[in-house]
Amino acid sequence: MRAFTYERAHDPVAAARAAAQPGAKFIAGGTNLLDLMKIEVETPTHLVDVQDLGFDKIENTKDGGLRIGALVTNTDLATDGRVRRDYAVLTRAIVAGASGQLRNKASTAGNLLQRTRCPYFYDINMPCNKRKPGSGCAAIGGVSRQLGVIGVSDKCIATFPGDMAVAMRVLDAAVETVDATGQHHSIPIAEFHRLWGDHPEQDTVLKPGELITAVTLPRPLGGKHFYEKVRDRASYAYALVSVAAVIQPDGTGRVAFGGVAPRPWRVEAADALLPQGAAAVTARAFQGATPTQDNKFKLPLATRALASVIAESQQKIGA
């Protein structure tokens, strides 16, 4: 690991200013960043520790939703009674990810900011436009079974690896931030993660030093909540395909997919097709998909995973 300097922040704006400097990075739980530093994928020269900023509470909002502090751990979020009751898709998605030990340390903001698990991104001996812009993409033409089928580009076919954000996309969450000038912003989760385009090194729309302070959830949607995760092994594995869904008694609802794109993948026009069945939804949601030979199985797999969710919802609604 390369040498770096460290400071413990006590004020959000000061933290944002410090992290806006070249080579600086925020650190909270460190469950992703420290791993990347060890293999020199990430090489920050200065770390700004934000653990003392007090963003560790889950609070009710005036409009009937929830405000989740950026430092709330995944464990505390998944086990909160209000989340379990009103936003069960979020609890299910979090529990489906990582291990209990990691969930005890990982933060809400850090989960949103985790970087891709593309093996070529992790191998510093291979060309990767996310790690070194302009160097090429070894995944294109390489082993791509785990990688993206939609929203990708000729510069990068990596996926966003998280589970929590897929549930937040179904719930229409918003990400609250403060920047180095002290300005506060609210970014819809639908706009937070970028499509790769020509700049796959840019994972999100955050400006340098912009600090996540909270994630807000709107009023509960009601209905039945589901998170179906298809993976190579039963635990501690990233999704080949995941489905987050909230389905109402009349069969309408919302659906988002994970493991298939640079960001949680939801097409609102596909939501309207839920009463017509899984094939109709996925045909619309994955219209224009560009899978590789290795990962084209993800398209029928997404249909089957959603069909399983729909069948389970019908059983629960009919019970």
Side-chain angles (χ1 to χ4, degrees):
M1 185 182 290
R2 301 186 186 188
F4 58 89
T5 54
Y6 170 91
E7 68 174 283
R8 197 139 184 155
H10 299 282
D11 173 79
V13 178
R17 283 199 296 266
Q21 301 305 309
K25 288 274 187 181
F26 292 119
I27 187 168
T31 58
N32 187 205
L33 178 60
L34 291 178
D35 285 344
L36 294 174
M37 289 173 65
K38 289 175 184 177
I39 58 177
E40 297 192 352
V41 170
E42 294 272 15
T43 55
T45 56
H46 184 64
L47 292 182
V48 182
D49 192 328
V50 297
Q51 292 184 79
D52 291 342
L53 295 183
F55 302 142
D56 58 353
K57 299 177 179 60
I58 303 174
E59 302 168 307
N60 297 322
T61 62
K62 292 180 180 179
D63 63 357
L66 287 181
R67 186 174 188 271
I68 303 160
L71 296 173
V72 172
T73 67
N74 285 181
T75 294
D76 287 346
L77 181 56
T79 58
D80 183 89
R82 294 161 293 184
V83 175
R84 288 168 59 89
R85 182 187 66 237
D86 296 328
Y87 305 96
V89 64
L90 186 53
T91 290
R92 294 178 184 216
I94 292 171
V95 171
S99 65
Q101 294 92 329
L102 284 173
R103 293 196 297 269
N104 287 342
K105 191 66 176 175
S107 67
T108 297
N111 197 302
L112 292 176
L113 294 172
Q114 63 183 300
R115 306 209 69 189
T116 185
R117 263 60 178 192
C118 174
Y120 298 102
F121 174 71
Y122 270 72
D123 186 346
I124 61 173
N125 296 307
M126 301 297 289
C128 172
N129 288 319
K130 287 187 69 60
R131 194 179 61 248
K132 185 178 179 182
S135 63
C137 176
I140 297 175
V143 178
S144 56
R145 183 172 183 273
Q146 292 275 354
L147 303 180
V149 298
I150 196 163
V152 296
S153 75
D154 61 0
K155 300 293 191 297
C156 181
I157 59 172
T159 58
F160 175 76
D163 295 291
M164 184 190 78
V166 184
M168 288 186 169
R169 180 67 183 91
V170 159
L171 296 170
D172 279 337
V175 182
E176 295 185 357
T177 69
V178 63
D179 64 25
T181 68
Q183 295 294 309
H184 293 265
H185 308 275
S186 180
I187 306 167
I189 191 74
E191 301 172 9
F192 183 75
H193 295 99
R194 292 178 179 271
L195 298 181
W196 301 144
D198 291 332
H199 295 283
E201 75 279 7
Q202 299 175 9
D203 291 348
T204 72
V205 299
L206 294 179
K207 301 187 291 291
E210 192 168 359
L211 173 67
I212 297 175
T213 57
V215 175
T216 56
L217 301 179
R219 293 174 62 88
L221 294 171
K224 301 294 183 181
H225 292 218
F226 303 89
Y227 192 75
E228 180 81 9
K229 183 175 182 178
V230 185
R231 46 191 163 176
D232 283 328
R233 57 182 187 271
S235 65
Y236 202 50
Y238 298 100
L240 291 169
V241 169
S242 65
V243 178
V246 176
I247 301 180
Q248 303 298 334
D250 63 359
T252 62
R254 301 178 178 185
V255 179
F257 298 90
V260 294
R263 62 188 182 198
W265 193 255
R266 179 180 169 207
V267 176
E268 280 81 350
D271 291 349
L273 302 176
L274 257 175
Q276 299 180 30
V281 173
T282 55
R284 180 64 184 86
F286 292 98
Q287 185 176 338
T290 55
T292 67
Q293 189 65 28
D294 281 354
N295 65 24
K296 64 182 181 180
F297 72 91
K298 287 191 175 190
L299 298 176
L301 183 60
T303 301
R304 292 197 296 271
L306 179 56
S308 175
V309 166
I310 293 172
E312 185 179 356
S313 74
Q314 291 169 344
Q315 290 176 352
K316 290 186 175 182
I317 290 169

